[in-house]
């Protein structure tokens, strides 16, 4: 365990770049591996989950290499031409890799075995097995529909129209990927919108894909036996990582910080909307589209924030950003109320309980409810906990650790984090960027 104390260190200034978006990193490797020809990917998030996807695509026959400057070069194998892996595919802890790659295999005449670590092996795969079985794939899974599992793909697979029983971008993506090599048109009906990175990027790689609406529900149709064309992908910065610096620069007086190349996909940009409602000064500089994804540089300047009632309908577009929003609320003028956040109790930790306890230790006034927090802000005054500072238990949760690091920047006596090592799972450069921006 590596403990660290974060304390007020002056305004955040200069220009920083946050790591690449994880969801888009996975998909760029998969789709480039399915294209015929050479794609180049820059800004890839080189975490363990994404590297598991790269290893699997190599096992299917794609050639994938990292160049010295950090660019990844992918020579694809082509839709319909996947090789049968010589051994089991170890997915580590990556649910995204597993569910999307199951979709890929389901419409190819190959057999693949998927394994994972203890955590991944406890996660439900039945939500993907059900629709892929309807398309003709067959499965031998562990008890409860979990990993390890063996999948025999169908060739030809059968196109289906599938209504998602759970709001899941991974299940949607698995069915669409199976549809790539299925004759005819495969449709997914989505009652509740989920992140749409798959649809945007598949279109960029040349798939024929239509998104429409029927009876208030989104219908996504993909035309099978697709030929994907290679594409150069610039992975946008992860909005969930940028969130910590957006809040820090908003609440630390004198700050003027630019965060380069942040993905602003509307299904992920809820925090930006909420901070602006509270009065944040965040300008989108050089807005552009990269690989079908909206991107901009964000210039964030300190501004007085005002408490609001956060609309629960926005929760899906910022579910991972609530811990750091709670920190912003603690410095606002007046009261911020959040509701509809039961999902936060079943993340890496119970994030409602963990943040209520941590912020209270740091000197914030917080009331915890079943489905959210009510926070009475200081009106911009620094948080005043005990003179010795707050010792915060992060419960091995990277987002709790980073959120309370931000709180330390506006604290009279500092915030000590019991363990900073979990931060590396999603944002290995966080500590360095924080020090760099504070010293600029």
């Amino acid at each position: 365990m590596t403990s660290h104390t974060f304390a007020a260190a002056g305004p955040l200034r200069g220009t920083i770049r946050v790591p690449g978006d994880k969801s888009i990193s996975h998909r760029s490797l998969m789709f480039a591996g399915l294209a015929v020809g050479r794609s180049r990917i820059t800004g890839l998030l080189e975490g363990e989950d994404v590297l598991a996807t790269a290893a699997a695509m190599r096992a299917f026959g794609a050639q994938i290499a990292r160049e010295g400057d950090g660019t990844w070069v992918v020579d694809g194998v082509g839709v319909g031409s996947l090789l049968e892996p010589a051994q089991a595919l170890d997915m580590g802890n990556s649910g995204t890799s597993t569910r999307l790659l199951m979709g890929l295999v389901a419409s190819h005449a190959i057999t693949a075995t998927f394994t994972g670590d203890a955590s991944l092996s406890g996660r439900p795969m039945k939500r993907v097995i059900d629709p892929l079985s309807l398309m003709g794939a067959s499965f031998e899974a562990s008890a409860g529909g979990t990993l390890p599992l063996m999948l025999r793909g169908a060739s030809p697979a059968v196109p289906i129209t599938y209504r998602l029983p759970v709001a899941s971008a991974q299940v949607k993506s698995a069915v669409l990927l199976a549809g790539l090599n299925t004759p005819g048109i495969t449709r997914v009906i989505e009652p509740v919108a989920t992140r749409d990175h798959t649809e945007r990027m598949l279109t960029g790689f040349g798939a024929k894909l239509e998104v429409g609406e029927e009876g208030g529900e989104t219908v996504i149709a993909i035309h099978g036996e697709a030929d994907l064309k290679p594409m150069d992908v610039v992975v946008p910065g992860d909005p969930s990582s940028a969130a910590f610096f957006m809040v820090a620069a908003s609440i630390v007086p004198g700050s003027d910080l630019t965060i380069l190349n942040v993905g602003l996909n509307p299904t992920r940009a809820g925090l930006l909307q909420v901070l602006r409602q509270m009065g944040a000064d965040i300008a989108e500089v050089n807005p552009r589209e990269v690989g079908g994804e909206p991107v901009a540089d964000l210039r964030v300047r300190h501004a007085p924030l005002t408490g609001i009632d956060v609309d629960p309908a926005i929760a899906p577009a910022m579910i991972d950003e609530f811990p750091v929003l709670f920190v912003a609320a603690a410095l606002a003028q007046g009261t911020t109320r959040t509701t509809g956040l039961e999902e936060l109790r079943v993340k890496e930790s119970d994030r409602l309980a963990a943040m209520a306890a941590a912020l209270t230790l740091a000197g914030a006034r917080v009331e915890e409810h079943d489905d959210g927090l009510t926070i009475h802000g200081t009106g911009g005054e620094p948080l005043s906990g005990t003179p010795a500072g707050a010792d915060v238990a992060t419960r091995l949760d990277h987002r709790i650790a980073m959120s309370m690091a931000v709180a330390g920047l506006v604290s009279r006596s500092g915030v000590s984090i019991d363990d900073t090592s979990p931060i590396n799972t999603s944002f290995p450069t966080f500590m360095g960027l924080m020090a760099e921006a504070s010293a600029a």
Side-chain angles (χ1 to χ4, degrees), residues 17-32 39-55 58 64-67 69-74 201 205 233-238 261 426 428-429:
R17 186 182 290 272
V18 297
D21 184 282
K22 190 164 150 185
S23 300
I24 295 173
S25 293
H26 280 302
R27 289 160 173 81
S28 64
L29 285 170
M30 288 182 200
F31 304 166
S39 299
R40 302 175 75 83
I41 305 167
T42 52
L44 192 84
L45 174 64
E46 296 178 2
E48 288 175 5
D49 286 6
V50 174
L51 298 180
T53 291
R58 286 192 189 103
I64 302 176
R66 184 188 188 277
E67 298 191 328
D69 64 355
T71 301
W72 288 69
V73 177
V74 182
M201 194 181 286
F205 273 96
V233 179
V234 179
V235 179
D238 194 313
N261 192 47
S426 68
T429 55

Side-chain angles (χ1 to χ4, degrees), residues 291-312:
E293 292 280 346
V295 170
D297 304 328
L298 297 180
R299 183 180 181 187
V300 189
R301 284 172 275 203
H302 170 256
L305 302 182
T306 305
I308 61 168
D309 289 355
V310 179
D311 182 352

